[in-house]
Amino acid sequence: MAEPRENLQMEKIVSLCKRRGFVFQSSEIYGGINGFWDYGPLGAELKRNVKELWWQAMTRQRDDVAGLEATILMSPKIWEASGHVATFSDPMIDCKTCKGRFRADQTGEISCPQKPSQCVQQCHGEKTEARAFNLMFQTYVGPTATAEDLAYLRPETAQAIFAQFKNVMETARQKVPFGIAQVGKAFRNEVTPRNFIFRSREFEQMELEFFIKPDEVIEAIHGAVATPEIPGPDSPALEPQPNWGWQAWHQYWVEERVRFYQGIGLDRSTLGFHRQTPQELAHYARACTDILFKFPFSKKDEQGNVIGDELEGVAARSDFDLSQHQRFSGKPMGVFDDELRAAWAKLPKEKSDDLWRRYYENRKNYLLKSGVEAEPASRQATDDANGLAKGQYIPHVIEPSAGVDRLILALLANAYSETTETDDKGKSETRVTMRFHPRVAPIKVGVLPLLKNKPDIVKKALEIRDALRPWMNVFYDEAGSIGRRYARQDEAGTPFCVTIDFDTLGENPERLDTVTLRYRDDGRQERLKISELRDWLLARIR
Ligand code: ATP
């Protein structure tokens, strides 16, 4: 039976990744370890570029976001407060026939590791009861390995941001609305790691927690909460406004993130959206929009359109996280807002009563859903609502949370393209070009002396390499025919190559100190002055 096309496409990508050093199986020489992947020389560069671009866009280019780099092991209390100890689990089932282990919500999608062709069918009929399986990896801190020393490898980077919220806000001298960004490793003992680096057990996340005022506070200060606007795809990004409530901020961050993806070569047509239904949403979340990428393995809808799989989730998480840490740590997580205090004093009684009541209801609901008894919940909610008049509240949060590895896979799948050429003797050859956006491409420019046995050409080429190196990742290659060398760079996804030839040295005086510049995507060539080369490249790779 022929392989489905999407599997073939994934196989080609996986094989290119190994052959060219993008991604290797972890511990390969020992037979590998399921759900773990290593990034080779090209993959490591690609990944660095992606993280660097995210960091640039989300922190350095904004006044309202500060960065954080927290530890992977933290106090286990953090994971009790966040709810991960109690509820971060997947339903696991075993197949009685093949002893394969699956996620109960995904049996239709996966094949058995042992008998791929038959087992999916058999599992449908012969599964064990689903059991909750906590996805957090455990370890012990300190030498005794007792229950008190139990710690978890973080399953997400976000919680450290909440735990350090006050420290960051004070040291960065920020005021709500503002965000805290973090990039780092996360670990989940996934029941069924699959689809290459899409779902692995060790991966990286790029997360922003953007803290905002509750809608009641916006209303107290500005009279009303702005209705969210959705800018057209070609119109400039929206400027955040002081009267934005959670809906406008949520919409804004979805749009910002889509623009980020476009800026690194993922066209809007390659993306999709899934707005979580009330049944899918966590009890504390107001909304969550998943940004999807149409991967080769993504399923199709009834009309045959590819739906896509989650690249990033943008969630409006209310004030749940800070409230939980306040309750569990006993440390106040609220902020003081002078503007609110002043505005509250001037509100007509009817308005302040209405806002008080709504804030009180929200706080009480949160407390009840978090297991607090009715009476203390009502007392606490009253205190919280009374805080508004003093300018106090617990910030809400919008969380754009993206996976580095899923983005790498999206970039690889998006870049992969094949051309088959047949020579005069009828021999055909298929060549791969990785059409990465120059911003993410692992190597920015290949520097190629036309001939390696001409010392003057080689010397000039090395000079160019050394002049460019401090500015970008350069690959110097003198081995093999020029056509072969171009092909190697096409496969690595290098957007530009420069060739140093006899004209560079002045054989044709008009071309002295110029090089041939070749474009990866269409093979076009032009002549460029060496003196202009660096700025020409920088303008295209940044
Ligand atoms: P999924 O439903 O696919 O398991 P999730 O909704 O649990 O994902 P989040 O907890 O929202 O994911 O994590 C945020 C992001 O982290 C995801 O959008 C994804 O890009 C990335 N991510 C989550 N789990 C994994 C994993 N096992 N391997 C690689 N990336 C992951």
Side-chain angles (χ1 to χ4, degrees):
M1 200 174 76
E3 276 285 322
R5 273 205 66 216
E6 56 272 24
N7 291 355
L8 274 182
Q9 186 72 358
M10 275 307 289
E11 270 172 31
K12 285 178 180 173
I13 292 169
V14 173
S15 121
L16 175 96
C17 280
K18 180 170 157 64
R19 182 159 48 85
R20 287 311 313 260
F22 282 98
V23 181
F24 307 125
Q25 197 182 14
S26 165
S27 321
E28 194 191 84
I29 57 167
Y30 292 102
I33 167 167
N34 196 8
F36 296 86
W37 300 95
D38 293 339
Y39 287 81
L42 291 178
E45 290 290 341
L46 179 61
K47 206 173 179 204
R48 262 171 194 270
N49 293 342
V50 162
K51 291 190 285 182
E52 184 65 25
L53 286 161
W54 185 91
W55 190 258
Q56 278 288 344
M58 303 296 268
T59 66
R60 294 200 184 142
Q61 283 172 23
R62 305 184 64 103
D63 290 330
D64 58 359
V65 177
L68 177 71
E69 192 161 323
T71 57
I72 286 170
L73 294 179
M74 296 184 276
S75 164
K77 297 220 168 59
I78 286 189
W79 306 112
E80 284 167 30
S82 68
H84 283 81
V85 170
T87 59
F88 193 56
S89 54
D90 277 337
M92 183 173 73
I93 58 165
D94 290 324
C95 168
K96 288 183 182 167
T97 314
C98 71
K99 313 294 176 215
R101 189 152 275 183
F102 309 106
R103 262 173 69 169
D105 50 339
Q106 289 179 350
T107 43
E109 292 176 25
I110 52 181
S111 57
C112 167
Q114 290 155 45
K115 296 178 190 164
S117 55
Q118 322 133 28
C119 204
V120 168
Q121 304 302 334
Q122 293 174 354
C123 279
H124 280 313
E126 289 209 56
K127 55 182 189 286
T128 59
E129 284 298 304
R131 303 186 300 286
F133 172 74
N134 194 297
L135 301 186
M136 284 198 292
F137 282 101
Q138 299 184 356
T139 186
Y140 294 98
V141 174
T144 51
T146 59
E148 290 87 75
D149 300 328
L150 188 65
Y152 303 97
L153 270 66
R154 66 180 179 200
E156 61 174 39
T157 61
Q159 291 306 320
I161 296 180
F162 298 122
Q164 293 289 7
F165 165 71
K166 278 291 180 82
N167 278 336
V168 176
M169 185 174 77
E170 276 154 29
T171 52
R173 300 168 59 82
Q174 288 285 355
K175 277 199 177 126
V176 177
F178 81 99
I180 305 177
Q182 182 169 215
V183 178
K185 290 266 185 180
F187 303 82
R188 296 183 188 179
N189 199 0
E190 297 279 359
V191 178
T192 47
R194 67 204 167 98
N195 289 332
F196 196 31
I197 52 176
F198 178 84
R199 184 178 302 288
S200 43
R201 289 178 165 144
E202 174 174 342
F203 55 98
E204 274 189 276
Q205 291 184 313
M206 304 183 285
E207 294 195 294
L208 171 71
E209 301 303 326
F210 196 82
F211 300 97
I212 56 172
K213 298 175 189 184
D215 279 9
E216 294 81 11
V217 171
I218 298 288
E219 248 185 273
I221 300 173
H222 300 281
V225 171
T227 321
E229 275 177 67
I230 304 172
D234 300 322
S235 51
L238 292 178
E239 265 301 304
Q241 298 299 318
N243 61 348
W244 277 8
W246 73 263
Q247 283 176 309
W249 276 113
H250 182 243
Q251 184 59 49
Y252 166 82
W253 278 113
V254 172
E255 186 57 33
E256 279 294 288
R257 300 300 306 138
V258 170
R259 283 169 195 255
F260 173 81
Y261 290 125
Q262 282 183 292
I264 56 173
L266 300 183
D267 195 72
R268 273 183 197 252
S269 63
T270 67
L271 304 175
F273 299 94
H274 170 68
R275 211 177 154 93
Q276 289 190 8
T277 60
Q279 292 75 33
E280 291 171 301
L281 277 180
H283 71 79
Y284 48 79
R286 300 250 166 114
C288 184
T289 302
D290 292 337
I291 302 175
L292 317 176
F293 176 79
K294 296 171 186 168
F295 289 99
F297 49 78
S298 293
K299 289 217 270 327
K300 296 194 174 102
D301 65 15
E302 279 156 16
Q303 285 79 46
N305 305 311
V306 181
I307 302 168
D309 283 276
E310 179 179 333
L311 199 55
E312 166 160 2
V314 185
R317 298 175 59 88
S318 72
D319 54 5
F320 175 78
D321 305 278
L322 290 180
S323 302
Q324 285 289 99
H325 287 298
Q326 175 167 293
R327 271 193 326 116
F328 279 72
S329 68
K331 304 282 182 331
M333 288 290 167
V335 297
F336 170 73
D337 188 329
D338 228 355
E339 228 187 329
L340 169 64
R341 192 175 59 171
W344 194 270
K346 293 188 199 135
L347 286 178
K349 171 122 181 31
E350 209 177 294
K351 183 77 181 171
S352 59
D353 282 354
D354 173 44
L355 294 176
W356 190 99
R357 169 77 35 205
R358 277 156 50 196
Y359 194 76
Y360 166 86
E361 290 297 341
N362 284 337
R363 294 297 299 158
K364 197 173 79 177
N365 270 344
Y366 149 70
L367 290 162
L368 291 176
K369 284 193 175 152
S370 307
V372 179
E373 296 290 328
E375 212 216 309
S378 164
R379 232 181 305 125
Q380 180 62 52
T382 305
D383 281 357
D384 293 344
N386 287 341
L388 291 174
K390 298 179 216 151
Q392 287 163 353
Y393 61 86
I394 296 188
H396 283 225
V397 74
I398 306 291
E399 177 192 77
S401 168
V404 178
D405 312 76
R406 285 193 188 175
L407 178 49
I408 299 289
L409 185 56
L411 292 170
L412 287 165
N414 190 58
Y416 190 92
S417 90
E418 280 180 351
T419 41
T420 303
E421 278 163 22
T422 311
D423 66 15
D424 356 330
K425 293 177 198 121
K427 196 174 151 232
S428 65
E429 193 187 9
T430 300
R431 287 172 48 168
V432 174
T433 302
M434 294 302 283
R435 299 180 193 277
F436 293 121
H437 190 290
R439 284 200 189 109
V440 293
I443 301 167
K444 306 301 182 190
V445 59
V447 174
L448 321 173
L450 184 66
L451 296 167
K452 71 169 172 190
N453 56 4
K454 297 287 170 204
D456 289 350
I457 288 185
V458 168
K459 184 164 170 276
K460 196 74 188 167
L462 290 172
E463 271 172 34
I464 292 174
R465 177 199 68 182
D466 292 344
L468 293 176
R469 253 184 184 170
W471 301 90
M472 63 195 77
N473 193 25
V474 182
F475 192 83
Y476 176 82
D477 188 2
E478 55 178 33
S481 75
I482 198 76
R484 281 269 146 225
R485 282 182 273 165
Y486 283 149
R488 279 203 292 269
Q489 290 309 309
D490 289 348
E491 227 180 25
T494 308
F496 310 107
C497 280
V498 293
T499 303
I500 293 86
D501 55 18
F502 291 104
D503 284 355
T504 314
L505 305 178
E507 193 167 288
N508 175 349
E510 278 173 22
R511 294 188 155 191
L512 176 69
D513 285 334
T514 63
V515 289
T516 299
L517 180 124
R518 174 184 177 272
Y519 292 81
R520 172 197 65 202
D521 291 343
D522 53 10
R524 195 158 38 102
Q525 301 193 357
E526 61 193 54
R527 215 62 201 180
L528 208 69
K529 285 189 185 145
I530 295 173
S531 58
E532 289 168 6
L533 184 59
R534 185 194 74 192
D535 289 348
W536 189 96
L537 288 166
L538 286 178
R540 283 157 184 83
I541 64 172
R542 281 185 170 166

